[in-house]
Amino acid sequence: MKIRIFDTTLRDGEQTPGISLSPDQKLSIAKKLDELGVDAIEAGFPVISDGELKAVKMIADEGLSCDVCGLARANKKDIDAAVDAGLNYIHTFIATSDIHLEYKLKITRDQALAKAIEAVEYGKSRGLQVEFSAEDATRTDREFLKKVFGEVAKAGADRIDIPDTVGYSTPEYMAEITKDAINATNLPVSIHCHNDFGLAVANALSGIRSGAQCAHVTINGIGERAGNASLEEFVMALKCLPYDQKYETGIKSELLYDTSKFVSKIVGIQVQPNKAIVGDNAFGHESGIHTHGILNNPLTYEPISPELVGRKRWLQVGKHAGIHGMNAMLGEYGIKPTDEQAKQILDKIKILGDQGKQVTDVELLSIASDILGEKGIKRIVQLTGFSVSTGIGTMPYAFIRLNIDGNDFVGTDYGVGPVDAALNAIQKITGKISEVKIKDYGLASISGGSNALCEVTIRVEDAQGNNVSAKSVGEDIVTTSVRAVIDGLNRIMLKKMLKERQLS
Ligand code: MN
């Protein structure tokens, strides 16, 4: 059975506290969603601002293959704004729960019903496809909800949506009211679930199993408060979990990771590392038992193959590591220690792990080279000197001294800020030697306060297009940035060198 994916990243997702997008940014996300294969996009809420109307109009005019929808309250002004934005499809809503009627709208149930009917009739009279939501449906009196849905269906609504506006439903109750809505209307039913109790995707799946044929979802689950049902989780659950019925969507799952990254970057909200499907750790392994299993057959500790969602698995060594995982990582660099050497390397890694240190590829290779007595795989780029000056009325300026394979190099440069100046100075040196470029730079604060820890992630690329990422955590933004870049440089240069060694 084909399930329709209605993406509301650009409407409910944009209502996430702290997110505000320009029309161009919204259009770029809309194009990305269309490529991903969503069936419909809720592009925005045209009546709220001139910029929003413009953004929705740009998206509506783009000629995307998916449907483009706009949000409208149950009144003529909002519906007219949707028409002005060039839409032929609206999502109109009015609250139906007593708490919303009494404290927000200050109208009776009968008045709300009348407004709902009027809005649907008006939308149809303007030639629109109309999807109707009874806001706060899951806290609405069940009999009244059935009545509202029945009446708007008679008034000509094309689709019905059940919003779990404050994430208050359970999967069991969602199943019940989905059946109610289908029986009352005989129309296609959507569900719109929020994640206040972490049940958004479970509730959405329950609605689908009870006959709903569409879910409102967002990329990375962004949305008001705790967010909405996440598109990637919902789609992959339908695709991969053992339900009694087969469900399909039009989503090209191998684009999910890329889309998640794209949206995260534009909206400025990082995905938590342990997030399902798209989090950094979703396909990462450190524990020895797990890496051993993974190396024998990935399905021992991965429910699905990472390639299915456009990702790669990664292994890391640390205090939980085992010999198999470590040897597999060294093997990627063409290093094959003896059993005794492997044990010695692992012991050193565990000592570092017990000190609370993260062991990167470069450190692993450096330890391995010590034990194997090979000079060739020493840490090849070393930071031997560094200073930066910044202030008001002066250009930020950095001095960097690196030792690369025993030779000293000095680089100096200006920048828009101290980090930029330092990175420019490093690139001045490396550009001469190996044409390594810094492609991405990300900075996040981990804890609060002015002595907060910061986390820097960078991606470097060499002339052959090899990519390597590196991460560093520290208290000083500039020093931590420089460390991350040096680590990235080491990784990419080591990778290249060891590849060449394997070939020769
Ligand atoms: Mn919502």
Side-chain angles (χ1 to χ4, degrees):
M1 188 179 155
K2 166 95 196 272
I3 301 302
R4 185 169 177 264
I5 301 297
F6 179 105
D7 183 284
T8 182
T9 303
L10 292 172
R11 201 278 297 168
D12 217 325
E14 203 196 353
Q15 286 171 225
T16 301
I19 296 185
S20 184
L21 302 171
S22 71
D24 285 333
Q25 287 175 318
K26 292 191 74 151
L27 179 63
S28 71
I29 292 177
K31 287 187 194 164
K32 202 82 179 166
L33 293 169
D34 194 40
E35 279 168 36
L36 178 67
V38 304
D39 299 283
I41 287 175
E42 186 163 41
F45 193 174
V47 82
I48 60 167
S49 74
D50 291 342
E52 183 79 350
L53 187 105
K54 185 181 163 203
V56 174
K57 193 162 173 45
M58 277 163 71
I59 295 167
D61 291 347
E62 186 61 27
L64 301 176
S65 37
C66 61
D67 294 341
V68 178
C69 176
L71 187 70
R73 283 167 297 191
N75 66 54
K76 287 187 176 171
K77 187 175 161 225
D78 283 28
I79 296 169
D80 287 340
V83 174
D84 291 343
L87 293 170
N88 51 28
Y89 176 17
I90 55 164
H91 172 207
T92 188
F93 71 98
I94 192 162
T96 49
S97 66
D98 288 337
I99 185 166
H100 275 238
L101 293 177
E102 186 177 345
Y103 294 99
K104 184 183 79 173
L105 298 178
K106 302 187 195 311
I107 58 175
T108 64
R109 286 184 183 181
D110 285 344
Q111 286 170 317
L113 177 59
K115 279 176 188 288
I117 293 168
E118 210 180 310
V120 169
E121 286 175 346
Y122 184 66
K124 291 313 294 176
S125 78
R126 299 231 46 191
L128 300 166
Q129 182 187 161
V130 177
E131 177 156 346
F132 175 82
S133 267
E135 191 188 15
D136 206 15
T138 50
R139 292 194 300 177
T140 298
D141 174 80
R142 196 165 159 185
E143 287 309 311
F144 180 57
L145 184 65
K146 278 194 246 181
K147 184 173 169 190
V148 172
F149 281 154
E151 294 293 321
V152 296
K154 274 188 223 149
D158 300 284
R159 299 174 174 278
I160 294 295
D161 173 57
I162 308 172
D164 185 20
T165 303
V166 295
Y168 190 71
S169 189
T170 59
E172 293 75 16
Y173 190 64
M174 192 49 92
E176 293 303 311
I177 58 172
T178 300
K179 287 176 208 153
D180 282 355
I182 295 168
N183 292 337
T185 64
N186 235 339
L187 289 175
V189 169
S190 309
I191 47 233
H192 176 113
C193 299
H194 276 271
N195 208 31
D196 296 72
F197 288 90
L199 289 174
V201 171
N203 283 333
L205 291 168
S206 178
I208 295 296
R209 298 188 71 193
S210 308
Q213 54 105 286
C214 172
H216 290 192
V217 289
T218 63
I219 297 292
N220 300 335
I222 60 172
E224 297 200 82
R225 301 182 313 282
N228 289 60
S230 127
L231 182 148
E232 54 281 359
E233 293 173 11
F234 176 72
V235 165
M236 293 315 290
L238 285 179
K239 189 179 168 97
C240 302
L241 294 184
Y243 289 116
D244 39 20
Q245 193 184 351
K246 279 260 173 244
Y247 297 105
E248 282 155 23
T249 68
I251 298 297
K252 299 182 187 81
S253 67
E254 65 283 1
L255 298 180
L256 282 172
Y257 185 57
D258 186 43
T259 310
S260 158
K261 284 268 179 216
F262 184 86
V263 169
S264 162
K265 207 165 170 178
I266 292 187
V267 304
I269 293 190
Q270 292 215 333
V271 172
Q272 74 194 61
N274 57 324
K275 162 95 169 55
I277 312 293
V278 294
D280 277 353
N281 295 353
F283 298 96
H285 309 274
E286 183 191 305
S287 133
I289 297 167
H290 287 214
T291 46
H292 186 200
I294 287 282
L295 291 165
N296 289 332
N297 179 347
L299 294 178
T300 51
Y301 285 104
E302 282 172 356
I304 58 169
S305 159
E307 287 77 19
L308 203 54
V309 294
R311 302 194 63 174
K312 286 203 169 78
R313 92 175 44 87
W314 54 268
L315 305 177
Q316 183 180 303
V317 292
K319 66 184 241 193
H320 308 104
I323 217 112
H324 295 96
M326 186 195 74
N327 278 343
M329 287 178 69
L330 289 171
E332 275 185 34
Y333 293 97
I335 300 169
K336 293 188 184 75
T338 64
D339 288 356
E340 181 52 32
Q341 287 169 332
K343 196 180 161 300
Q344 287 175 26
I345 300 170
L346 193 62
D347 285 347
K348 285 212 170 183
I349 288 167
K350 297 214 172 197
I351 291 168
L352 286 177
D354 282 337
Q355 289 167 359
K357 291 195 180 121
Q358 254 205 345
V359 184
T360 65
D361 284 24
V362 176
E363 270 136 357
L364 170 66
L365 292 171
S366 168
I367 294 168
S369 74
D370 279 345
I371 289 175
L372 271 65
E374 291 187 50
K375 291 209 167 61
I377 51 174
K378 284 275 185 201
R379 176 178 278 254
I380 47 182
V381 180
Q382 284 179 63
L383 181 67
T384 50
F386 162 53
S387 74
V388 61
S389 70
T390 187
I392 292 169
T394 170
M395 270 286 270
Y397 179 77
F399 163 88
I400 296 271
R401 194 170 62 227
L402 299 180
N403 185 289
I404 303 179
D405 258 348
N407 302 310
D408 275 323
F409 295 87
V410 168
T412 57
D413 208 348
Y414 294 95
V416 294
V419 171
D420 188 47
L423 303 195
N424 289 343
I426 295 173
Q427 296 213 72
K428 265 199 171 171
I429 303 175
T430 57
K432 276 187 234 158
I433 300 154
S434 60
E435 286 180 57
V436 176
K437 288 209 165 66
I438 300 162
K439 302 294 279 188
D440 271 327
Y441 171 87
L443 172 69
S445 143
I446 294 179
S447 46
S450 64
N451 59 351
L453 281 177
C454 68
E455 179 187 277
V456 174
T457 43
I458 58 116
R459 190 167 63 84
V460 294
E461 194 179 284
D462 68 12
Q464 288 78 42
N466 294 315
N467 271 278
V468 160
S469 311
K471 191 189 276 188
S472 185
V473 175
E475 280 163 351
D476 179 313
I477 292 176
V478 187
T479 312
T480 307
S481 303
V482 170
R483 286 222 178 92
V485 171
I486 300 293
D487 196 42
L489 289 174
N490 272 313
R491 285 185 187 205
I492 203 154
M493 289 167 83
L494 270 169
K495 240 183 188 164
K496 201 177 146 197
M497 199 177 71
L498 290 161
K499 256 190 201 168
E500 285 164 4
R501 202 174 71 168
Q502 261 177 301
L503 292 175
S504 65

